[in-house]
Amino acid sequence: MVRQIQIKKLNDINGELSSISSECEKAFAAWIKDRSNNKLFKEYRELLSKRDRVIKEYKSCIVVN
């Protein structure tokens, strides 16, 4: 039972990571088209930070298990 919960949590984190990665790609593409737009760059950097936090959470779950 505990193992199923852990797998579900890893799957949820993986889904979130996939979603954020897609958003990062879109934000990067938008910024590349308009490099002078600092707002787009800031959005891209925030998404990268969020992605890094999710990756750390995923790694911590793997290490614990």
Side-chain angles (χ1 to χ4, degrees), residues 32-63:
I32 287 294
K33 289 180 183 176
D34 185 10
R35 288 190 184 191
S36 63
N37 189 335
N38 290 332
K39 184 178 177 185
L40 290 174
F41 181 70
K42 184 178 178 183
E43 178 184 342
Y44 172 63
R45 296 287 297 168
E46 287 172 357
L47 286 168
L48 284 179
S49 295
K50 186 175 179 181
R51 183 176 171 263
D52 286 343
R53 286 191 301 271
V54 172
I55 289 171
K56 287 177 185 174
E57 181 182 359
Y58 188 81
K59 285 180 179 179
S60 71
C61 286
I62 290 174
V63 170

Side-chain angles (χ1 to χ4, degrees), residues 8-19:
K8 183 180 181 330
K9 181 172 181 161
L10 288 173
N11 287 338
D12 290 346
I13 294 171
N14 194 32
E16 183 179 0
L17 182 58
S18 178
S19 174

Side-chain angles (χ1 to χ4, degrees), residues 19-33 40 43-44 47:
S19 174
I20 293 171
S21 293
S22 294
E23 289 179 46
C24 280
E25 289 177 20
K26 291 175 187 174
F28 181 75
W31 176 67
I32 287 294
K33 289 180 183 176
L40 290 174
E43 178 184 342
Y44 172 63
L47 286 168

